[in-house]
Protein backbone atom coordinates (compact mmCIF):
# COMPACT_ATOMS: atom_id res chain seq x y z
CA UNK A 1 0.00 0.00 0.00
CA UNK A 2 1.28 3.48 -0.90
CA UNK A 3 1.44 6.28 1.64
CA UNK A 4 -1.22 8.14 -0.31
CA UNK A 5 -3.75 5.34 0.27
CA UNK A 6 -3.48 5.71 4.04
CA UNK A 7 -3.50 9.49 3.81
CA UNK A 8 -6.65 9.53 1.68
CA UNK A 9 -8.43 7.10 4.02
CA UNK A 10 -7.53 9.15 7.11
CA UNK A 11 -9.30 12.29 5.94
CA UNK A 12 -12.51 11.96 7.98
CA UNK A 13 -10.43 11.69 11.17
CA UNK A 14 -8.18 14.54 10.06
CA UNK A 15 -11.16 16.78 9.35
CA UNK A 16 -12.45 16.19 12.88
CA UNK A 17 -9.14 17.39 14.26
CA UNK A 18 -9.27 20.45 12.02
CA UNK A 19 -12.74 21.30 13.32
CA UNK A 20 -11.50 21.00 16.91
CA UNK A 21 -8.63 23.33 16.06
CA UNK A 22 -10.85 26.01 14.51
CA UNK A 23 -11.84 27.67 17.78
CA UNK A 24 -8.30 27.57 19.17
CA UNK A 25 -6.90 29.08 15.97
CA UNK A 26 -9.63 31.72 15.56
CA UNK A 27 -7.38 34.58 16.66
CA UNK A 28 -4.97 33.91 13.82
CA UNK A 29 -7.62 33.52 11.12
CA UNK A 30 -9.40 36.32 9.23
CA UNK A 31 -11.89 38.38 11.18
CA UNK A 32 -15.28 39.43 9.75
CA UNK A 33 -14.91 42.46 7.51
CA UNK A 34 -11.18 42.05 6.85
CA UNK A 35 -10.05 42.31 3.25
CA UNK A 36 -8.11 39.10 2.77
CA UNK A 37 -5.79 37.57 0.18
CA UNK A 38 -5.27 33.81 0.32
CA UNK A 39 -2.17 32.48 -1.39
CA UNK A 40 -0.56 29.14 -2.15
CA UNK A 41 1.12 27.13 -4.88
CA UNK A 42 -0.34 24.16 -6.72
CA UNK A 43 -2.82 22.33 -4.51
CA UNK A 44 -2.62 25.05 -1.87
CA UNK A 45 -3.64 27.65 -4.44
CA UNK A 46 -6.73 25.63 -5.32
CA UNK A 47 -7.66 25.37 -1.63
CA UNK A 48 -7.19 29.14 -1.45
CA UNK A 49 -9.66 29.51 -4.32
CA UNK A 50 -12.22 27.37 -2.50
CA UNK A 51 -11.83 29.25 0.78
CA UNK A 52 -12.04 32.63 -0.94
CA UNK A 53 -15.30 31.62 -2.60
CA UNK A 54 -16.78 30.35 0.67
CA UNK A 55 -15.76 33.40 2.72
CA UNK A 56 -17.17 35.88 0.23
CA UNK A 57 -20.38 33.88 -0.13
CA UNK A 58 -20.74 33.97 3.66
CA UNK A 59 -20.59 37.78 3.55
CA UNK A 60 -17.52 37.98 5.79
CA UNK A 61 -15.41 40.21 3.59
CA UNK A 62 -13.72 40.58 0.23
CA UNK A 63 -11.46 37.58 -0.29
CA UNK A 64 -9.15 36.96 -3.24
CA UNK A 65 -7.00 33.94 -4.07
CA UNK A 66 -3.61 34.11 -5.78
CA UNK A 67 -0.85 31.78 -6.81
CA UNK A 68 2.09 32.68 -4.58
CA UNK A 69 4.09 34.09 -7.49
CA UNK A 70 1.25 36.31 -8.72
CA UNK A 71 0.30 38.29 -5.61
CA UNK A 72 -0.01 42.04 -6.43
CA UNK A 73 2.24 43.63 -3.81
CA UNK A 74 0.78 47.10 -4.40
CA UNK A 75 -2.80 46.04 -3.61
CA UNK A 76 -4.04 46.80 -0.07
CA UNK A 77 -5.25 43.92 2.08
CA UNK A 78 -5.81 43.62 5.80
CA UNK A 79 -4.37 40.11 5.96
CA UNK A 80 -2.62 37.51 3.84
CA UNK A 81 -3.34 33.86 4.55
CA UNK A 82 -0.67 31.56 3.13
CA UNK A 83 -1.34 27.83 2.79
CA UNK A 84 1.84 25.76 2.66
CA UNK A 85 2.18 22.10 3.58
CA UNK A 86 5.97 22.06 3.66
CA UNK A 87 6.51 25.66 4.75
CA UNK A 88 9.48 25.78 2.36
CA UNK A 89 7.94 26.84 -0.96
CA UNK A 90 10.08 29.60 -2.43
CA UNK A 91 7.26 31.77 -3.80
CA UNK A 92 5.37 31.76 -0.50
CA UNK A 93 8.44 32.55 1.61
CA UNK A 94 9.45 35.32 -0.80
CA UNK A 95 5.99 36.86 -0.56
CA UNK A 96 5.96 36.78 3.24
CA UNK A 97 9.36 38.46 3.28
CA UNK A 98 8.33 41.12 0.75
CA UNK A 99 5.08 42.30 2.31
CA UNK A 100 4.28 44.41 5.36
CA UNK A 101 0.72 43.08 5.44
CA UNK A 102 0.04 40.84 8.47
CA UNK A 103 0.43 37.21 7.44
CA UNK A 104 -1.07 34.00 8.77
CA UNK A 105 0.43 30.74 7.54
CA UNK A 106 -1.36 27.38 7.59
CA UNK A 107 1.51 24.88 7.80
CA UNK A 108 1.96 21.13 7.90
CA UNK A 109 5.62 20.96 8.95
CA UNK A 110 6.13 22.67 12.35
CA UNK A 111 9.91 22.81 11.82
CA UNK A 112 9.75 24.72 8.54
CA UNK A 113 11.02 28.27 7.93
CA UNK A 114 7.48 29.57 7.34
CA UNK A 115 6.73 29.08 11.05
CA UNK A 116 9.04 31.92 12.04
CA UNK A 117 8.62 33.95 8.84
CA UNK A 118 4.86 34.49 9.20
CA UNK A 119 3.34 36.81 11.79
CA UNK A 120 0.95 34.10 12.97
CA UNK A 121 0.75 30.38 12.28
CA UNK A 122 -1.77 27.58 12.45
CA UNK A 123 -0.02 24.21 12.54
CA UNK A 124 -1.52 20.98 11.18
CA UNK A 125 1.34 18.49 11.72
CA UNK A 126 -1.08 15.57 12.02
CA UNK A 127 -2.29 16.34 8.49
CA UNK A 128 1.20 16.40 6.95
CA UNK A 129 1.99 13.66 4.47
CA UNK A 130 4.79 11.39 3.31
CA UNK A 131 3.50 11.20 -0.26
CA UNK A 132 4.56 13.92 -2.66
CA UNK A 133 0.92 14.09 -3.80
CA UNK A 134 -1.13 16.25 -1.44
CA UNK A 135 -4.49 14.95 -0.25
CA UNK A 136 -5.05 15.05 3.53
CA UNK A 137 -3.29 18.32 4.29
CA UNK A 138 -5.19 20.25 1.64
CA UNK A 139 -8.65 19.08 2.65
CA UNK A 140 -7.86 19.44 6.36
CA UNK A 141 -6.87 23.06 5.80
CA UNK A 142 -10.14 23.60 3.96
CA UNK A 143 -12.05 21.87 6.76
CA UNK A 144 -10.40 24.26 9.22
CA UNK A 145 -11.51 27.24 7.15
CA UNK A 146 -15.04 25.94 6.74
CA UNK A 147 -15.39 25.31 10.47
CA UNK A 148 -14.07 28.80 11.20
CA UNK A 149 -16.72 30.20 8.83
CA UNK A 150 -19.35 28.53 11.02
CA UNK A 151 -20.21 25.56 8.82
CA UNK A 152 -21.44 22.31 10.35
CA UNK A 153 -19.24 19.66 8.73
CA UNK A 154 -20.90 16.62 10.27
CA UNK A 155 -22.56 15.84 6.95
CA UNK A 156 -19.29 16.30 5.08
CA UNK A 157 -17.53 13.87 7.41
CA UNK A 158 -20.32 11.31 7.07
CA UNK A 159 -20.05 11.60 3.29
CA UNK A 160 -16.27 11.29 3.49
CA UNK A 161 -16.52 8.10 5.53
CA UNK A 162 -18.57 6.68 2.67
CA UNK A 163 -16.35 7.89 -0.18
CA UNK A 164 -13.11 6.46 1.23
CA UNK A 165 -14.43 3.00 0.33
CA UNK A 166 -17.17 3.67 -2.27
CA UNK A 167 -17.01 2.26 -5.77
CA UNK A 168 -15.30 4.63 -8.18
CA UNK A 169 -17.69 6.29 -10.65
CA UNK A 170 -15.30 5.77 -13.58
CA UNK A 171 -13.23 2.80 -14.72
CA UNK A 172 -9.58 3.87 -14.99
CA UNK A 173 -9.00 1.32 -17.72
CA UNK A 174 -11.85 2.62 -19.87
CA UNK A 175 -11.54 6.38 -19.39
CA UNK A 176 -9.44 8.34 -21.88
CA UNK A 177 -9.88 11.85 -20.43
CA UNK A 178 -11.78 13.72 -17.68
CA UNK A 179 -12.86 17.34 -17.44
CA UNK A 180 -13.70 18.48 -13.91
CA UNK A 181 -16.11 21.38 -13.39
CA UNK A 182 -17.52 23.31 -10.44
CA UNK A 183 -19.34 26.48 -9.45
CA UNK A 184 -18.39 29.05 -6.83
CA UNK A 185 -16.10 27.52 -4.25
CA UNK A 186 -16.09 24.14 -5.99
CA UNK A 187 -14.18 25.55 -8.97
CA UNK A 188 -11.13 25.21 -6.74
CA UNK A 189 -12.04 21.59 -6.00
CA UNK A 190 -12.42 20.89 -9.72
CA UNK A 191 -8.97 22.33 -10.36
CA UNK A 192 -7.54 20.22 -7.53
CA UNK A 193 -9.16 17.01 -8.81
CA UNK A 194 -7.66 17.62 -12.24
CA UNK A 195 -4.25 18.28 -10.71
CA UNK A 196 -4.36 15.03 -8.72
CA UNK A 197 -4.86 13.01 -11.91
CA UNK A 198 -2.07 14.84 -13.70
CA UNK A 199 0.34 14.50 -10.78
CA UNK A 200 -0.27 10.93 -9.71
CA UNK A 201 -0.96 9.38 -13.11
CA UNK A 202 0.29 11.77 -15.83
CA UNK A 203 -3.30 11.65 -17.08
CA UNK A 204 -4.98 14.19 -19.36
CA UNK A 205 -7.43 16.29 -17.35
CA UNK A 206 -8.86 19.78 -17.59
CA UNK A 207 -10.90 21.93 -15.18
CA UNK A 208 -13.28 24.85 -15.70
CA UNK A 209 -16.13 26.75 -14.08
CA UNK A 210 -19.18 24.68 -14.96
CA UNK A 211 -21.02 27.53 -16.69
CA UNK A 212 -17.98 28.23 -18.86
CA UNK A 213 -17.65 24.60 -19.94
CA UNK A 214 -20.07 25.11 -22.84
CA UNK A 215 -17.93 27.98 -24.16
CA UNK A 216 -15.41 25.81 -25.95
CA UNK A 217 -14.18 23.03 -23.64
CA UNK A 218 -17.23 20.85 -24.36
CA UNK A 219 -15.82 20.36 -27.85
CA UNK A 220 -13.42 17.67 -26.62
CA UNK A 221 -16.18 15.60 -24.99
CA UNK A 222 -16.80 12.32 -26.73
CA UNK A 223 -17.47 8.64 -25.90
CA UNK A 224 -14.72 7.27 -23.67
CA UNK A 225 -14.25 10.62 -21.94
CA UNK A 226 -16.01 12.08 -18.89
CA UNK A 227 -17.21 15.29 -17.29
CA UNK A 228 -17.12 15.22 -13.49
CA UNK A 229 -19.07 17.98 -11.74
CA UNK A 230 -18.63 19.02 -8.11
CA UNK A 231 -21.66 20.27 -6.22
CA UNK A 232 -24.44 22.23 -7.88
CA UNK A 233 -24.90 21.49 -11.58
CA UNK A 234 -26.05 24.18 -14.03
CA UNK A 235 -29.43 23.43 -15.57
CA UNK A 236 -29.11 21.36 -18.71
CA UNK A 237 -25.41 20.57 -18.36
CA UNK A 238 -26.01 16.84 -17.89
CA UNK A 239 -28.09 16.73 -21.08
CA UNK A 240 -25.48 18.71 -23.00
CA UNK A 241 -22.78 16.25 -21.93
CA UNK A 242 -25.01 13.26 -22.75
CA UNK A 243 -25.38 14.52 -26.33
CA UNK A 244 -21.61 14.35 -26.76
CA UNK A 245 -21.51 10.71 -25.72
CA UNK A 246 -19.24 11.45 -22.76
CA UNK A 247 -20.02 10.12 -19.27
CA UNK A 248 -21.41 12.65 -16.79
CA UNK A 249 -20.47 12.23 -13.11
CA UNK A 250 -22.24 14.19 -10.36
CA UNK A 251 -23.07 13.10 -6.82
CA UNK A 252 -26.19 15.13 -6.03
CA UNK A 253 -26.44 15.88 -2.33
CA UNK A 254 -22.93 14.77 -1.43
CA UNK A 255 -20.60 17.31 0.13
CA UNK A 256 -18.20 18.37 -2.64
CA UNK A 257 -15.16 18.05 -0.38
CA UNK A 258 -16.08 14.42 0.21
CA UNK A 259 -16.51 14.00 -3.54
CA UNK A 260 -12.91 15.18 -3.91
CA UNK A 261 -11.88 12.05 -2.01
CA UNK A 262 -13.34 9.96 -4.82
CA UNK A 263 -11.34 11.98 -7.34
CA UNK A 264 -8.17 11.44 -5.29
CA UNK A 265 -8.82 7.70 -5.25
CA UNK A 266 -9.53 7.76 -8.99
CA UNK A 267 -6.15 9.43 -9.56
CA UNK A 268 -4.39 6.72 -7.55
CA UNK A 269 -6.27 4.00 -9.45
CA UNK A 270 -5.24 5.60 -12.74
CA UNK A 271 -1.61 5.59 -11.62
CA UNK A 272 -1.73 1.91 -10.75
CA UNK A 273 -3.46 1.08 -14.03
CA UNK A 274 -0.55 2.77 -15.83
CA UNK A 275 2.06 1.04 -13.68
CA UNK A 276 3.11 4.26 -11.91
CA UNK A 277 3.93 4.89 -8.26
CA UNK A 278 1.35 7.42 -7.01
CA UNK A 279 3.60 8.48 -4.12
CA UNK A 280 6.43 9.66 -6.35
CA UNK A 281 5.13 11.44 -9.47
CA UNK A 282 7.61 12.06 -12.24
CA UNK A 283 9.33 15.45 -12.30
CA UNK A 284 7.89 16.44 -8.91
CA UNK A 285 9.24 16.91 -5.41
CA UNK A 286 7.47 17.51 -2.11
CA UNK A 287 8.20 21.26 -2.32
CA UNK A 288 9.47 23.56 -5.03
CA UNK A 289 12.57 25.27 -3.64
CA UNK A 290 14.23 27.56 -6.18
CA UNK A 291 17.87 28.59 -6.23
CA UNK A 292 18.44 32.24 -5.21
Amino acid sequence: MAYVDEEIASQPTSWRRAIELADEAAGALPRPGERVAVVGCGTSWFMAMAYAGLREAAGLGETDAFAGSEFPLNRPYDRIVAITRSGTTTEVLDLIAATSIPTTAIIGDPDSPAVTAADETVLLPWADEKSVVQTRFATSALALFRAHLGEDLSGAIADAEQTVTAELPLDPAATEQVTFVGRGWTVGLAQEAALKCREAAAFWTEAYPAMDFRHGPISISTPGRAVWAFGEVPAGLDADVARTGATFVNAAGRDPMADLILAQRFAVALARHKGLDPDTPRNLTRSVILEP
Side-chain angles (χ1 to χ4, degrees):
M1 177 181 290
Y3 291 126
V4 71
D5 294 300
E6 179 184 348
E7 290 157 1
I8 289 173
S10 70
Q11 286 174 105
T13 299
S14 192
W15 296 359
R16 289 189 181 93
R17 295 190 68 171
I19 293 167
E20 293 170 357
L21 180 61
D23 285 341
E24 177 186 335
L29 295 173
R31 296 160 178 78
E34 283 187 329
R35 189 166 187 252
V36 175
V38 195
V39 301
C41 297
T43 288
S44 294
W45 176 32
F46 300 143
M47 295 302 102
M49 291 170 59
Y51 174 44
L54 285 167
R55 187 171 185 268
E56 283 221 1
L60 294 175
E62 184 176 346
T63 316
D64 299 318
F66 297 97
S69 59
E70 302 305 312
F71 179 77
L73 286 168
N74 61 345
R75 189 176 299 180
Y77 287 98
D78 299 312
R79 183 185 300 268
I80 295 173
V81 176
I83 307 170
T84 172
R85 176 180 66 168
S86 69
T88 60
T89 304
T90 297
E91 295 99 308
V92 171
L93 291 175
D94 286 352
L95 170 58
I96 292 173
T99 184
S100 60
I101 299 169
T103 55
T104 295
I106 314 300
I107 305 170
D109 183 353
D111 298 319
S112 69
V115 173
T116 54
D119 297 304
E120 299 187 82
T121 59
V122 180
L123 302 179
L124 282 63
W126 35 265
D128 201 357
E129 296 145 332
K130 294 181 179 179
S131 177
V132 169
V133 173
Q134 279 200 57
T135 54
R136 176 176 67 194
F137 175 77
T139 59
S140 296
L142 188 53
L144 172 78
F145 292 136
R146 293 179 69 181
H148 181 247
L149 293 176
E151 289 193 48
D152 178 359
L153 295 185
S154 57
I157 291 173
D159 288 345
E161 289 173 334
Q162 187 267 332
T163 56
V164 295
T165 58
E167 182 178 355
L168 294 177
L170 297 172
D171 178 1
T175 305
E176 177 189 14
Q177 185 272 343
V178 181
T179 300
F180 294 93
V181 298
R183 297 194 73 180
W185 73 282
T186 68
V187 173
L189 300 190
Q191 292 284 357
E192 171 59 6
L195 180 63
K196 288 287 88 70
C197 293
R198 292 193 293 267
E199 286 180 334
F203 180 76
W204 174 25
T205 55
E206 300 182 357
Y208 302 95
M211 289 296 290
D212 209 55
F213 175 68
R214 298 180 179 95
H215 295 266
I218 194 172
S219 63
I220 67 166
S221 297
T222 191
R225 300 177 184 174
V227 176
W228 187 325
F230 286 89
E232 179 186 355
V233 176
L237 182 63
D238 54 346
D240 290 341
V241 172
R243 282 191 287 272
T244 71
T247 300
F248 187 71
V249 177
N250 178 245
R254 178 186 292 153
D255 187 274
M257 200 163 74
D259 204 29
L260 180 58
I261 291 177
L262 271 184
Q264 294 168 345
R265 291 180 51 225
F266 177 66
V268 171
L270 282 167
R272 292 204 167 99
H273 171 67
K274 297 176 69 173
L276 301 174
D277 178 359
D279 278 338
T280 56
R282 67 186 186 190
N283 305 322
L284 294 179
T285 57
R286 174 175 159 82
S287 174
V288 176
I289 302 173
L290 304 176
E291 294 294 330

